[in-house]
Amino acid sequence: MTGEGRSVTILGVTGSVGRNTADLILRDRDRFTVEAVTANESVNELASMARDLGARCAVIGKSELYGPLCDALEGSGIEAMAGPEAIVEAADRPSDWLMGAISGAAGLDPLLTAIRRGAIVALANKEALICAGDLVMDEVAASGARLLPVDSEHNAIYQVFDFDQTAKVDALILTASGGPFRTWTVEAMKDATPEQAVAHPNWKMGAKISVDSATLMNKGLELIEAYHLFPVDERQIEIVVHPQSVIHSMVSYVDGSVLAQLGTPDMRTPIAYTLAWPARMVGPSERLNFAQIGSLTFEVPDIERFPALSLARQALQLGGSAPTILNAADEVAVAGFLAGNIGFLDIISIVSQTLERVSVRPLESLDDVGEVDAEARCVARSLIGKRC
């Protein structure tokens, strides 16, 4: 399959990744047909995007919004559906390619559905691999689905990783921008506001991932994601702070060569790579001007000021349900911070305490994942309640 005449489904079309995917499709309209688009609660935006894209089906996650969606789609001929089960049904519809851009653990079920039918799946939901990495990769192997990473770092590695000589890979080098608080002291971060935390210096992203970038938990989650996506040992995954966000990650080989993928910080570049894979398509991203960039700098991550990196590596080393606990606690803690219920430094403190209080055990099914996720969220919410 070359990417020509491809049918696509976009899960989470009203989010940042979903909108960028739609933008690429609308710029190359004759190349793609759109089977289904989904959103959680943004009815009018979902209906508008479904009309623009000529989608066959539009699905809203909240069942109570079915009526408003039908009203918004009236006269369009687009099928309307609603509810979590309908989103899974949308993932099961026969499209060649699917964008998995539902954030959080809620995206796991529809993602697995698309994988099981053998689709090309663009993975923008790293939490699926954090919560259930072994289960997801087992399903990929069993179905023959193709999993293409959308995160700029993992997409970069995918583009330069030699899958025919995996034993010749020395290390994966994940780059981190350092986030908005890269040069802040711990004392200053103690009083950081949600507005300051979501003001990422390079990337325009959703609030949750922006806060994760500020704590560096995002890089910790990406460490776990990389471990599942590529056949390397945890000790072979390194992290370096690169504030310019020009090099999106690198692969080091045993002969001393280091291969990197570079580009301007625009998510349309990695999305375009997955959308056209294995071919390439014309992308709208601004091209790099090396003379203007002038210099690229690199720093060792400060794990004293940003302990999330150590916590994530610890969870990966523990294995089993530890990454699931980490992810659930982080989602709850970040939501608590954005709601103004806890301080910025409390986020990682709550994640750490949740990891200590919830027992780590093997994960053998999605039911196991759900039980651990629920228990960790309950503990994290309790810890937030004690701070309110």
Side-chain angles (χ1 to χ4, degrees), residues 105-129:
L108 184 54
D109 266 357
L111 180 76
L112 282 173
T113 298
I115 288 171
R116 285 170 182 148
R117 66 176 175 80
I120 300 171
V121 175
L123 178 69
N125 175 352
K126 65 170 66 70
E127 292 89 348
L129 288 183

